[in-house]
Structure formats: structure tokens, C-alpha cells
Amino acid sequence: LILNRLLARAQLGAQQIGDAIETYQKAEATAVQQRQEPVLAEIYAELCPLLMAMESPNLDDIVTKLERANTAGVRANPELAKVVKRNLALALFRRGMERLRAKNGDGVSDLRRAQEDPSILTAKEPQLFAFAYGLALLTTNTEQAANEAIGLFSKLDAKMTASFLRPPYDKLGPDFFKAYANYMQDSPAKRDQAAETFQSVLKKAGSSPLAGKIRDLIRSSYELKAYDAWRSENFKQAKEDLKNAQKFATTGAQKAELEVNLAVLDMDKDRSGAKRTFDNYKGTTPEALVNLGIILDLEGDSRGALDAWQDAQKRGVGGKVRDWIEAKKKILGSK
């Protein structure tokens, strides 16, 4: 056991990395057999960084070794404990990022554990690890996780965060991700905050390809907020939000959909104007056909309403339209 440990260190000093790993593994096998946990912890403290430096490291195995060292082998040696804990944090970070990218396994748990003790991290690592954990939290799609992510992003240093983000995200900083965390929540107030923050981030994006995506997120924030207001029968607020959404519409389809939704809100006050809007967009927006059919039905044109709803159904609209069609067919006696 002693000989293999000394030989492994000598091989490491001579840059014979592969030989050093094999010799460390012989020492590991002996320490396991003899149940010498403190010695095994020392071996893992030296061996695991070499394993992590390999081209395709077995991170599951490395984490298991370091967890064993951390729980059983370092209690009487504070300096060794610090080394083992740091190596474990680095291994958990790498495995967590791999799982996050692959959307396979609990990357959130790994990244949470990796950043729990900032005292064992150096330089930019506390910021990097906290940022990665914040991103992982956003993948869980829960309000609690989103709020925790917002707290993390709010504490990050913008300049330091920019140093480890790739363009164009380096210009946006943590504010973009904080806004996205707000956007994901089912709350009008949070979506309002998201739209406001996205607008400040949009200025930093300049002419980068990401600017279009940010505009879409702003528009979507206002649309979702308008839908919440509509469900609460706050039609004035819904109309205001839809008009704000119009400012960030970039495609003809988006603009048409917003015009149709605004016309829906005006149906009671300005039926003729709404009807013109629905008629204008019936060729591009199936929902316009649904609402045009409603107006035609209110005007007594049952055949026109049926035709409009059937056209909408052919273009993929389902739900209540199907029931309306069947009911109208029975009234008109048509097939």
C-alpha cells in the first residue's frame, strides 16, 4: 500500500499519468480490502483529479469515490477534508452540467450540492456555480424554483457573469435569466416584471440574433398578462396589454393575431368594426373565422355562421366549435 502510493506520486511527477492512475488504483484496491478509510480518502484526494482530467471520465464513479472519502475518511484531517470536499464539488458540477445538457438525471441536485459551500471554491467559481444552479432550477418549471433562481441571479456580479457567458449572452448578463424566471411564472405581476426587464435587456442585445427572441418574449409576456386580465374580466387591462404586445410583434401572423384579439374585446361595443377585422384576417387567422361566425350568428345569418365555423374546423380549430357546428347542423337540417 505504501509502496504503490509512493510509486504513483513518482509516476505523476514524471508525467506518466496513465501509469500513475493504474498504480493509485492498486493502492485503492488494497486500502478497500484492508478497510483503511483514512488512507483511502488520501488516495481518492490524489486519484480523482487525475480521473476527472481524462477525456471521458466516469463521473458517477468519481462522485461515489469522493462521497465515500468525504463521509468516512476525512474526519480527523481538516486539510484533507477541504481537498476532498473541493474535488467533490468540482465533480458534482461537471456531472450536473452534463445531466443538464442531456436533460437526463438529476442535474439540479448535483448543481445544488456543488455550490452549497462557497468557502471551498476559488476565483469565479462561486458565481459560476450559483449561475449554473440557477439555470438548472429553471428547468423544473415550478414557482418555488423560479423564485430561488431569481434570488441567485440577483446576487450575481454582472461583469463577472459576462466573463463566463458566450456571446451574445455575455452582454445581457444575469438580468436576462432573471427576466426569464419571472416570465415562466403564472402571475400577472411577475410577467409585468419580466416584460420590463426584457425591455432593458433588449437595448443591450443590439442587432444580435437574440434581439428577435427577446422581442418575442416581451410580446408573449404581455399576451399572457392580457389573457390573465381577460379571465378576470378586466377587459380594460387586457386591451392595454394587447396594445403593448403589438409594439413588439415582428411577423404578420403575430400582428394579425393581436388585431383579432383586440377586436374580440371590442365585439360588444363595436360589432361592425370587429366584424370587418375578422373578415380581413379570416384567410390568415383561423380564430378570426370562429369570431366571425359568432357575429354572423348574432345577426341571424345561421348559414354564414356554420360556413365560418366549418372553415375554422378544417384549419385545425377544435373545442367548442365542433359542438357549435353540430348544433347548427341540426337546426338547419344539413349534413
Side-chain angles (χ1 to χ4, degrees):
L1 179 57
I2 295 173
L3 175 62
N4 278 326
R5 290 187 65 197
L6 290 173
L7 178 58
R9 289 174 180 172
Q11 291 168 331
L12 184 59
Q15 297 299 307
Q16 298 170 2
I17 307 300
D19 292 338
I21 289 174
E22 289 182 8
T23 307
Y24 269 125
Q25 288 172 334
K26 292 178 183 178
E28 174 193 8
T30 305
V32 170
Q33 185 180 20
Q34 296 178 2
R35 298 181 180 179
Q36 296 197 38
E37 294 296 327
V39 177
L40 187 61
E42 293 177 6
I43 293 171
Y44 286 156
E46 298 171 10
L47 171 61
C48 287
L50 301 180
L51 295 176
M52 277 197 287
M54 295 175 67
E55 186 174 347
S56 299
N58 184 340
L59 292 170
D60 289 338
D61 180 59
I62 293 169
V63 168
T64 299
K65 292 182 189 301
L66 290 168
E67 286 177 330
R68 181 172 181 175
N70 189 43
T71 57
V74 300
R75 293 171 185 164
N77 190 335
E79 288 302 315
L80 177 61
K82 189 173 182 178
V83 171
V84 170
K85 287 179 180 179
R86 172 168 171 76
N87 287 335
L88 178 57
L90 295 175
L92 286 168
F93 176 76
R94 286 191 59 181
R95 188 174 74 172
M97 289 303 295
E98 283 191 3
R99 288 177 168 180
L100 187 62
R101 294 188 188 101
K103 299 179 181 179
N104 179 28
D106 191 7
V108 177
S109 177
D110 281 350
L111 292 169
R112 177 187 292 112
R113 293 172 60 197
Q115 58 91 49
E116 280 179 339
D117 186 0
S119 69
I120 60 175
L121 304 178
T122 62
K124 299 176 182 178
E125 287 174 351
Q127 296 270 315
L128 174 61
F129 283 29
F131 177 78
Y133 175 48
L135 289 183
L137 285 170
L138 295 184
T139 66
T140 65
N141 296 320
T142 66
E143 183 178 352
Q144 181 179 352
N147 284 328
E148 187 178 354
I150 290 168
L152 287 170
F153 295 140
S154 298
K155 295 176 183 177
L156 295 178
D157 179 86
K159 290 184 179 179
M160 191 174 291
T161 305
S163 67
F164 52 75
L165 287 176
R166 295 179 179 178
Y169 292 99
D170 57 336
K171 294 182 180 179
L172 308 184
D175 281 349
F176 172 81
F177 301 95
K178 184 165 63 175
Y180 192 75
N182 276 320
Y183 168 78
M184 290 174 62
Q185 299 190 57
D186 189 15
S187 162
K190 292 290 187 181
R191 285 169 178 157
D192 209 31
Q193 291 178 29
E196 185 176 338
T197 308
F198 276 136
Q199 287 179 68
S200 66
V201 169
L202 181 61
K203 297 175 183 177
K204 301 176 185 177
S207 58
S208 71
L210 192 58
K213 178 62 176 177
I214 296 172
R215 292 183 68 88
D216 281 343
L217 287 167
I218 298 170
R219 174 188 53 77
S220 180
S221 297
Y222 281 125
E223 282 190 293
L224 290 169
K225 190 165 174 278
Y227 178 69
D228 290 333
W230 174 79
R231 285 194 305 176
S232 302
E233 297 187 358
N234 187 350
F235 303 125
K236 181 179 179 181
Q237 182 64 56
K239 193 170 184 178
E240 180 181 328
D241 290 328
L242 287 175
K243 287 184 176 180
N244 282 327
Q246 281 184 313
K247 300 173 186 176
F248 299 94
T250 55
T251 68
Q254 291 171 359
K255 293 174 182 178
E257 184 178 348
L258 288 166
E259 286 287 350
V260 168
N261 288 338
L262 280 167
V264 170
L265 294 175
D266 287 335
M267 279 175 65
D268 290 337
K269 294 181 179 180
D270 185 11
R271 184 183 295 178
S272 60
K275 184 179 180 181
R276 284 195 300 273
T277 299
F278 299 145
D279 197 51
N280 287 338
Y281 291 107
K282 66 182 181 183
T284 58
T285 309
E287 288 75 13
L289 281 165
V290 176
N291 290 290
L292 178 61
I294 292 173
I295 289 181
L296 290 172
D297 194 38
L298 291 172
E299 292 177 344
D301 186 357
S302 297
R303 174 58 62 183
L306 177 60
D307 291 342
W309 291 336
Q310 286 179 324
D311 286 345
Q313 187 179 49
K314 289 176 184 177
R315 292 167 59 185
V317 178
K320 292 182 179 180
V321 171
R322 189 183 302 109
D323 298 333
W324 296 347
I325 290 172
E326 293 306 314
K328 193 62 66 178
K329 280 182 177 180
K330 290 178 180 178
I331 294 172
L332 294 175
S334 61
K335 295 182 180 180

